[in-house]
Amino acid sequence: VENVGILAMELYFPSQYVDQTELEKFDGVSAGKYTVGLGQTKMGFCTDREDINSICMTALHRLIEKNNINLHDIGRLEVGTETIIDKSKSVKTYLMTLFAEQGATDVEGIDTTNACYGGTAALFNAVNWVESSSWDGRKAIVVAGDIAVYGKGPARPTGGAGAVAMLIGPDAPLVLDCGVRASYMTHAYDFYKPDLASEFPYVDGKLSIQCYLSALDNCYNLYCKKMRKVEPDFKGLLSLDGMLFHSPYSKLVQKSLARVCFNDFLNATPEQREQQFPGLSDFSSHKLEETYFDRDVEKAFMAYSEPLFDEKTKPSLHIAKNIGNMYTASLYGGLASYLVSKSPEQLIGKKFGLFSYGSGLASTMYSMNICNDMSAGSKLAKLINSLNEGLSMLEIRQSIPPSQFSESMDVRTKNYHTAPYQPSGSIDTLFPGTYYLVDIDDLRRRFYKRK
Ligand code: ACO
């Protein structure tokens, strides 16, 4: 099989958001902290009407409907999530209710969890399966979704919610590069969820940023090394048309692109430095591991990278700015944003890098190519059209005052373990086609309907 990758893609995000400017006022922080300091505009959130099963189902059903997928043609269904509502039963098994309607049950795959990395792990599992001797000729589906919520405090504005569903198979318009994926995995307590009685993580904000940047340095350098083995002329960022990152908040992504440039700078010969990085020679003796919070390095490389950021990364941040961190779906929201910012003609033949990070920690840098044969071109046009339709719904969401958002979070917190339970969140505000929770019975079984 050839050109294994993403054939189609759909996104789901909640119909409600809180405005970050209003949230700054409500939280009593200085004006600009969330909007400029973190680079966030709006934050999507769910009431108690939605949970991880429902949002993943909404995304999956949309993918199936829009692409007229016969579920007997799907041989693998993978879920990536860190939103855990059951310590044993996977979200995937709930998604099988849709397959059951068509009598389809021969479907491999279950859930994968490690913070924001599960979606990427699920994608790799699906791609690997299609490329393996176990493959039976059918397609795979990957669903990545999360409800990202934090307790009251500085991390709360970096929440979000959403899910993405992707159809995986051969002859795809978006093809993963083979043999160059570079991972960095190690033990860290930067963000973790040891309190099973709470929906909120324990988070060491500063450490999580340091872990993210150090994972980026490690993955990027290893990825470049592997790329140069297959393409001796590979020039780092200059050889990539786009560079996409997991986005906890947009500002960190801009800093990450600056960091990529700093890596390219350190890896360059003295002559290349003079030519490609004029005026930055003062930083030649700086070390990666000593500069995670070095203001001078950050400022110099943020300024240097600004035009590169505008061209290669900024278009990928539209969803991240307007929804917030969707955890496992965040990087794929970045991919969707990037694709809709261009026409198929502009995308054909392009290559872009993707950095996936999950606290704890697991991370990978990999790359995708946009295939340039004609059949892929028409699949790409269809994929972009469909994403555009979905993204237009960002504009028809309802703005909810921060006080009401805060109350809604309190309701979720208070009832996280209540059973039996009837959710109180409004059904009227949900987008058509949204699955919602009807009831949790005394045996904690969950029941859903579709609007
Ligand atoms: N105008 C403009 N900028 C401002 C203003 C203002 N009025 N006030 C503050 N800022 C800037 C700060 O200077 C800072 O900029 P810097 O990042 O360049 O230093 C930025 O806004 C944030 O302000 P801080 O005081 O650093 O924010 P705080 O420490 O309160 O919280 C944090 C930020 C740590 C990111 C917090 O939101 C958090 O813990 N989030 C969750 C963890 C996270 O997302 N980690 C990232 C990787 S792990 C993952 O994906 C979950």
Side-chain angles (χ1 to χ4, degrees), residues 30-33 36-38 116 150 154-158 190-191 203-206 208-209 212 246 248-249 251-252 255 295 298 325 327 357 359:
S30 57
K33 180 169 178 182
V36 180
L38 299 177
C116 309
Y150 293 91
R156 181 157 269 190
T158 62
D190 59 328
F191 165 113
V203 52
D204 181 337
K206 192 163 184 219
S208 74
I209 296 165
Y212 180 104
H246 164 59
Y249 51 93
K251 198 53 166 289
L252 186 60
K255 289 186 184 192
R295 289 289 182 192
E298 187 182 291
N325 195 351
Y327 289 163
Y357 176 82
S359 292

Side-chain angles (χ1 to χ4, degrees), residues 84-377:
I84 306 300
I85 53 172
D86 194 300
K87 285 179 276 184
S88 171
K89 185 172 161 53
S90 61
V91 173
K92 186 270 178 77
T93 55
Y94 169 64
L95 300 183
M96 288 308 294
T97 55
L98 205 55
F99 287 66
E101 289 168 15
Q102 294 184 13
T105 49
D106 176 21
V107 188
E108 284 188 7
I110 44 151
D111 297 4
T112 303
T113 297
N114 188 88
C116 309
Y117 187 80
T120 297
L123 174 65
F124 291 172
N125 286 347
V127 168
N128 292 350
W129 175 70
V130 174
E131 290 175 339
S132 77
S133 61
S134 304
W135 190 49
D136 63 4
R138 293 185 292 165
K139 294 187 175 75
I141 292 178
V142 170
V143 181
D146 276 299
I147 295 173
V149 285
Y150 293 91
K152 290 193 172 95
R156 181 157 269 190
T158 62
V164 61
M166 298 180 276
L167 184 66
I168 309 300
D171 303 318
L174 303 171
V175 182
L176 275 74
D177 270 324
C178 297
V180 292
R181 293 187 326 220
S183 292
Y184 177 75
M185 307 226 174
T186 188
H187 166 63
Y189 278 129
D190 59 328
F191 165 113
Y192 50 111
K193 293 178 178 166
D195 181 358
L196 299 172
S198 164
E199 199 173 14
F200 303 140
Y202 279 51
V203 52
D204 181 337
K206 192 163 184 219
L207 179 63
S208 74
I209 296 165
Q210 181 178 324
C211 286
Y212 180 104
L213 294 174
S214 114
L216 173 63
D217 291 343
N218 277 284
C219 288
Y220 181 67
N221 279 303
L222 190 56
Y223 168 78
C224 288
K225 220 187 237 172
K226 291 186 180 183
M227 274 307 293
R228 277 194 296 270
K229 276 201 186 136
V230 290
E231 275 178 38
D233 275 349
F234 184 75
K235 291 186 182 64
L237 188 61
L238 288 183
S239 299
L240 296 167
D241 301 292
M243 186 66 229
L244 282 43
F245 302 83
H246 164 59
S247 180
Y249 51 93
S250 297
K251 198 53 166 289
L252 186 60
V253 170
Q254 189 169 1
K255 289 186 184 192
S256 297
L257 190 80
R259 193 82 192 163
V260 162
C261 292
F262 182 48
N263 274 275
D264 279 345
F265 167 81
L266 292 180
N267 292 335
T269 61
E271 300 76 53
Q272 284 170 331
R273 274 187 202 166
E274 288 280 309
Q275 216 185 18
Q276 197 187 326
F277 301 93
L280 292 171
S281 55
D282 283 358
F283 298 102
S284 295
S285 56
H286 282 62
K287 305 239 171 349
L288 285 174
E289 55 283 4
E290 288 164 10
T291 52
Y292 301 122
F293 299 104
D294 185 316
R295 289 289 182 192
D296 298 330
V297 170
E298 187 182 291
K299 202 169 157 219
F301 283 88
M302 285 278 271
Y304 167 83
S305 63
E306 201 176 331
L308 294 164
F309 171 75
D310 286 347
E311 181 198 334
K312 295 175 199 268
T313 301
K314 200 176 176 184
S316 73
L317 290 175
H318 181 60
I319 291 172
K321 275 176 177 291
N322 283 289
I323 298 175
N325 195 351
M326 301 188 289
Y327 289 163
T328 53
S330 160
L331 180 60
Y332 302 94
L335 175 59
S337 302
Y338 180 82
L339 294 172
V340 300
S341 75
K342 310 255 186 307
S343 67
E345 296 73 38
Q346 287 173 314
L347 288 167
I348 296 289
K350 296 288 194 305
K351 182 199 276 300
F352 47 92
L354 300 103
F355 174 63
S356 183
Y357 176 82
S359 292
L361 66 83
S363 61
T364 299
M365 175 86 66
Y366 67 105
S367 50
M368 273 186 200
N369 290 302
I370 303 189
C371 202
N372 49 14
D373 76 45
M374 279 312 287
S375 84

